[in-house]
Amino acid sequence: MDETTTPRQRMPRFPHGFAWGAATAAFQIEGSTTVDGRGPSIWDTFTAQPGRVVDGSDATTSADSYRRWRDDIALLRDLGVDDYRFSIAWPRIQPGGTGPANGAGLDHYSRFVDALGEAGIEPLVTLYHWDLPQALEDEGGWLARDTAQRFADYATLVVDGLGDRVTRWITLNEPAMTSLQGYALGELAPGRTLMLDALPTVHHQLLGHGLALAAIRAARPDAVVGITNNHTLVEPASAEASDLVAAGAFDAIYNRIFAEPVLLGRYPDLSALGLERFPGLEDGDLELIGAPIDFYGVNFYNPTRVAAPSPGSPFAQAGLPFEPVEYQGAPVTGFGWPVVPEALTRLLVGLRESYGDALPPVVITENGASYPDEVVDGRVADASRIAYLDGHVRAVHAAIEAGVDVRGYEVWSLIDNFEWADGYTQRFGLVHLDLETGERTRKDSFAWYRELIAGQRG
Ligand code: BGC
């Protein structure tokens, strides 16, 4: 990168106090899956089933961060981040999903949080990033209402153990993906293919959020609590009425059934799906789910173009009133996801327009891109990732200028890691991971982000 393209000189200035960070999740980086009393999660089960993960890999080592956490903190320090978003593995705290805290598991995170504090990096802790204890899945997983209470109990244990040093908590990461890909389509753990019968998992996760929120507030009145939803900007494939209706239905099931209960205390109208009342909903639930939160976490990767289902397509066969179609006219990431930074501005402005004062300050809790990075002569020249991140950071700034209160930005991800059903085929890190040796190599995007952060301070 030459001087003229250095973002430090050209990136607009963000508001004072805007927090810059990087994100990871326990199952994707930790490895050591049988160490210190950790119990099995649905992801251990899923990855052990042949054909579930594209490259046949698993997460037993991954970035080895359970053992190499000091290396991760050194990287974060070098990067100059304000905060680090990481998750706690529920099966390390409650190996069987219930009962008292496993001391060895809690101690690990306690040491980690202390070391972050010494490095001057604020923890932003996700309580649930998809690694449900297998024992709870055996009892129905998120199809069972009881799992919501189990989650609140687990959250209480963690907050009791770490709440004297951790202020900011995210209850759930992307309940949409758990319900849609995990229980409806079977692409992620636990690999169920229930289609619309998966809908109770939406409600039970959100109830888990509400119960955990109340439990955290009771244990630590000073806690700062939010939830992270994955949002996509939905664009109708054409101006035809059928595509507009399809786009609306997709928006409801992907975005709004997760946002509206939390922000407005009600579910959107789902009569297009033949639903009058949300499956699993009981009296009093929405009061818990809609209780005020301190920030709203948004994960954003790409927009989605949606059409009416073509006759005979899998969507039509499943009775779904929409079908995502190829997004033409944009470059794509290694995953094939369209790169459209201004979609993030539109999404954020749209959230503000839809929810008004019910939208608390927003934190971009994930944003990033995968590319097939390689180390060549000790260097990873990931110009495409820099372009992606640069565009999206500017898109966040544009949203702030347009009046959206955005308080922070977390790059997904600090380091290449286990990309769920895509194994190690997709690299999202600012840091390259050598899968054989565990060696960490800072990519060019690492230097870019470090310079961006330094420039915002200077
Ligand atoms: C998840 C991450 C994942 C990323 C990229 C998000 O859906 O929270 O765990 O690695 O997207 O696919």
Side-chain angles (χ1 to χ4, degrees):
M1 211 168 4
D2 64 36
E3 274 302 296
T4 53
T5 58
T6 302
R8 183 169 182 168
Q9 293 170 356
R10 297 177 51 215
M11 182 61 72
R13 187 159 281 274
F14 279 67
H16 181 71
F18 189 90
W20 299 96
T24 59
F27 190 76
Q28 294 179 274
I29 61 163
E30 285 183 349
S32 299
T33 47
T34 56
V35 170
D36 286 347
R38 179 186 179 279
S41 77
I42 54 174
W43 272 97
D44 299 279
T45 308
F46 189 79
T47 53
Q49 293 165 353
R52 291 297 202 181
V53 178
V54 290
D55 58 0
S57 64
D58 61 38
T60 49
T61 304
S62 186
D64 204 10
S65 290
Y66 192 76
R67 296 191 308 140
R68 298 185 61 154
W69 56 270
R70 289 179 191 82
D71 295 353
D72 294 350
I73 291 184
L75 289 169
L76 290 162
R77 205 177 196 147
D78 185 15
L79 196 52
V81 289
D82 298 299
D83 59 15
Y84 177 44
R85 176 181 177 223
F86 65 98
S87 82
I88 307 257
W90 186 347
R92 291 195 192 281
I93 305 302
Q94 290 180 306
T98 58
N102 167 34
L106 201 52
D107 283 352
H108 167 77
Y109 294 109
S110 190
R111 280 192 295 275
F112 186 70
V113 162
D114 283 345
L116 276 180
E118 282 157 25
I121 299 165
E122 202 198 341
L124 173 55
V125 175
T126 311
L127 286 161
Y128 182 70
H129 201 125
W130 301 359
D131 42 5
L132 186 73
Q134 180 61 42
L136 294 183
E137 181 59 30
D138 295 342
E139 301 292 319
W142 289 109
L143 289 164
R145 186 176 170 89
D146 190 50
T147 300
Q149 186 57 55
R150 299 282 76 77
F151 176 63
D153 294 348
Y154 150 72
T156 305
L157 293 178
V158 176
V159 172
D160 282 349
L162 306 178
D164 54 340
R165 287 152 293 155
V166 174
T167 307
R168 293 195 302 154
W169 303 93
I170 295 167
T171 53
L172 304 177
N173 178 71
E174 298 189 357
M177 297 302 103
T178 294
S179 293
L180 302 178
Q181 291 184 284
Y183 286 89
L185 301 173
E187 296 163 351
L188 299 178
R192 306 288 304 271
T193 48
L194 301 171
M195 301 310 285
L196 288 179
D197 289 340
L199 281 172
T201 68
V202 173
H203 184 65
H204 296 149
Q205 287 186 88
L206 293 177
L207 181 61
H209 157 78
L211 290 167
L213 175 64
I216 297 168
R217 295 234 190 275
R220 286 270 160 192
D222 58 338
V224 174
V225 192
I227 185 172
T228 281
N229 275 330
N230 184 12
H231 280 290
T232 187
L233 182 81
V234 181
E235 297 179 5
S238 79
E240 298 285 324
S242 58
D243 287 342
L244 294 176
V245 170
F250 186 84
D251 188 39
I253 206 151
Y254 194 102
N255 293 313
R256 288 167 46 218
I257 61 174
F258 298 93
E260 295 194 6
V262 170
L263 298 175
L264 303 179
R266 61 169 164 75
Y267 280 104
D269 176 20
L270 292 178
S271 48
L273 296 171
L275 292 172
E276 293 311 321
R277 185 179 168 88
F278 206 87
L281 176 62
E282 293 185 12
D283 288 350
D285 291 354
L286 286 168
E287 283 71 28
L288 284 163
I289 295 169
I293 48 176
D294 303 300
F295 65 93
Y296 186 67
V298 171
N299 289 357
F300 178 84
Y301 288 90
N302 55 267
T304 307
R305 214 159 264 171
V306 176
S310 45
S313 74
F315 288 84
Q317 283 173 18
L320 295 172
F322 50 71
E323 180 173 348
V325 294
E326 194 184 333
Y327 197 107
Q328 281 160 353
V332 292
T333 69
F335 244 141
W337 297 350
V339 180
V340 190
E342 59 274 18
L344 176 55
T345 310
R346 285 169 56 204
L347 177 100
L348 292 168
V349 169
L351 286 174
R352 170 77 198 160
E353 281 169 3
S354 298
Y355 303 120
D357 291 342
L359 181 70
V362 170
V363 176
I364 307 300
T365 41
E366 280 179 37
N367 177 240
S370 63
Y371 291 102
D373 307 311
E374 280 175 26
V375 183
V376 179
D377 296 332
R379 177 176 170 201
V380 181
D382 58 339
S384 302
R385 178 171 296 99
I386 294 174
Y388 178 99
L389 295 173
D390 184 78
H392 285 79
V393 169
R394 288 171 198 279
V396 173
H397 190 270
I400 294 172
E401 294 274 278
V404 189
D405 184 1
V406 188
R407 302 278 177 94
Y409 178 85
E410 307 284 327
V411 172
W412 185 270
S413 176
L414 174 65
I415 185 166
D416 293 342
N417 57 53
F418 182 74
E419 178 50 36
W420 308 113
D422 289 278
Y424 298 103
T425 65
Q426 301 296 324
R427 294 179 175 273
F428 275 89
L430 296 171
V431 176
H432 180 275
L433 172 70
D434 183 316
L435 292 166
E436 301 297 319
T437 64
E439 188 182 347
R440 286 132 157 84
T441 305
R442 292 159 177 78
K443 302 180 190 177
D444 284 0
S445 57
F446 183 100
W448 170 85
Y449 195 42
R450 177 172 53 193
E451 195 164 346
L452 184 158
I453 296 170
Q456 290 292 324
R457 299 233 171 82

